[in-house]
């Protein structure tokens, strides 16, 4: 079974500071990993995803994440936080086992990390 | 705007009632997923459809059912509602629905409040 653990339900940083949101995964097969962001009263928006092409993945809004197999981690970073980055961030792993004769595509999400940015 | 639409945005109902949530996927996407987001359970996968056929089931209660129609829109039916069913229900869509790193695009959600 696959799972995702996000360390820290709340993270607070100052504007201009480094953002680091932690995600560890568990998977018996090569994982596909995602980071989504949810702004208040909105749906989820994809920030970036890892699909085994490159271990350092760049996403939108200046975010990036590095896949580290040895540490089973996929932490999200941004060098300099902006006020507009305040939101909830979700790490997810894609089911990749076979079901119904084809592979299953549902996402398994972590509990989320709420990012606050102080002026 | 993801291109996925959901109606209604808000729904307030009473225990024991039945409601229907509607989702229209992005143009060209054949697969639809339903997720439930609640404070205690987080984001949980409920069910997936691909081109009208059920493809995968997650933590979906027997009181809940879904279907995908020939025009690819999907409906999630929730019956015998309980207070604990109050949550945000998301629909997402993707092209093939076979995982393998395929991006899922999420709608804005339907917020259900059961009183």
């Amino acid at each position: 079974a696959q799972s995702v653990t996000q360390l820290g339900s709340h993270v607070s940083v100052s504007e201009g500071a480094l953002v680091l949101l932690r995600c560890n995964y568990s998977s018996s097969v090569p994982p596909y990993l995602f980071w989504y962001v949810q702004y208040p009263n909105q749906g989820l928006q994809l920030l970036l995803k890892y699909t085994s092409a490159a271990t350092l993945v760049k996403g939108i809004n200046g975010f990036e994440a590095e896949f580290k197999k040895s540490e089973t981690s996929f932490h999200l970073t941004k060098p300099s936080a902006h006020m507009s980055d305040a939101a909830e961030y979700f790490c997810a792993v894609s089911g990749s086992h076979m079901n119904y004769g084809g592979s299953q595509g549902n996402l398994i999400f972590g509990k989320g990390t709420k990012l606050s940015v102080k002026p | 705007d993801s291109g996925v639409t959901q109606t209604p945005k808000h729904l307030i109902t009473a225990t024991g009632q039945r409601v229907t949530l509607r989702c229209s996927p992005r143009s060209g996407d054949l697969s639809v997923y339903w997720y439930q987001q609640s404070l205690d359970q987080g984001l949980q996968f409920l069910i997936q459809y691909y081109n009208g056929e059920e493809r995968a089931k997650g933590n979906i209660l027997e009181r809940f059912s879904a279907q995908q129609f020939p025009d690819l829109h999907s409906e999630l039916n929730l019956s015998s509602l309980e207070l604990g069913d109050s949550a945000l229900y998301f629909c997402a869509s993707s092209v093939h629905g076979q995982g393998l790193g395929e991006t899922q695009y999420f709608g804005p959600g339907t917020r259900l409040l059961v009183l």
Side-chain angles (χ1 to χ4, degrees):
Chain A
Q2 295 169 304
S3 66
V4 165
T5 302
Q6 291 185 243
L7 296 175
S9 58
H10 287 87
V11 170
S12 182
V13 301
S14 297
E15 195 173 17
L18 171 72
V19 175
L20 171 60
L21 304 182
R22 300 178 187 273
C23 172
N24 288 89
Y25 70 90
S26 172
S27 178
S28 57
V29 296
Y32 300 98
L33 295 159
F34 304 77
W35 275 100
Y36 279 85
V37 60
Q38 184 179 25
Y39 297 102
N41 299 314
Q42 293 188 29
L44 283 78
Q45 180 183 8
L46 180 70
L47 278 177
L48 50 81
K49 65 180 180 182
Y50 168 74
T51 58
S52 77
T55 57
L56 183 61
V57 182
K58 294 188 183 299
I60 62 171
N61 301 338
F63 284 94
E64 63 181 39
E66 187 172 8
F67 174 73
K68 291 188 177 180
K69 186 177 177 181
S70 60
E71 298 177 8
T72 60
S73 70
F74 190 57
H75 301 331
L76 182 70
T77 60
K78 182 173 180 177
S80 176
H82 295 163
M83 296 295 292
S84 60
D85 294 326
E88 190 157 19
Y89 292 80
F90 292 91
C91 183
V93 62
S94 175
S96 58
H97 55 278
M98 301 300 286
N99 194 11
Y100 288 88
S103 61
Q104 182 174 321
N106 64 283
L107 295 172
I108 301 162
F109 286 92
K111 294 287 188 185
T113 297
K114 192 162 287 187
L115 175 67
S116 301
V117 182
K118 298 175 290 187
Chain B
D1 184 357
S2 68
V4 178
T5 60
Q6 289 186 248
T7 57
K9 284 189 177 179
H10 302 275
L11 202 47
I12 302 175
T13 188
T15 54
Q17 294 298 305
R18 173 189 168 95
V19 296
T20 297
L21 313 184
R22 182 187 169 104
C23 167
S24 292
R26 290 188 327 150
S27 176
D29 285 358
L30 298 178
S31 193
V32 167
Y33 311 77
W34 287 97
Y35 293 88
Q36 179 194 59
Q37 184 178 35
S38 62
L39 283 175
D40 52 345
Q41 298 291 330
L43 263 164
Q44 294 218 359
F45 167 67
L46 295 178
I47 197 164
Q48 176 194 2
Y49 278 81
Y50 173 77
N51 205 19
E53 300 287 328
E54 183 183 300
R55 171 157 285 181
K57 264 186 175 178
N59 299 320
I60 189 166
L61 300 171
E62 285 191 11
R63 300 184 285 109
F64 295 1
S65 65
Q67 58 185 128
Q68 186 179 27
F69 295 86
D71 67 352
L72 300 177
H73 90 271
S74 177
E75 293 180 357
L76 179 67
N77 300 297
L78 315 177
S79 61
S80 303
L81 285 167
E82 301 175 359
L83 296 178
D85 297 327
S86 296
L88 194 50
Y89 291 84
F90 285 111
C91 168
S93 74
S94 69
V95 178
H96 301 298
Q98 292 187 336
L100 305 178
E102 188 179 61
T103 297
Q104 292 183 26
Y105 296 88
F106 282 76
T110 293
R111 187 171 295 278
L112 173 66
L113 181 59
V114 183
L115 299 175

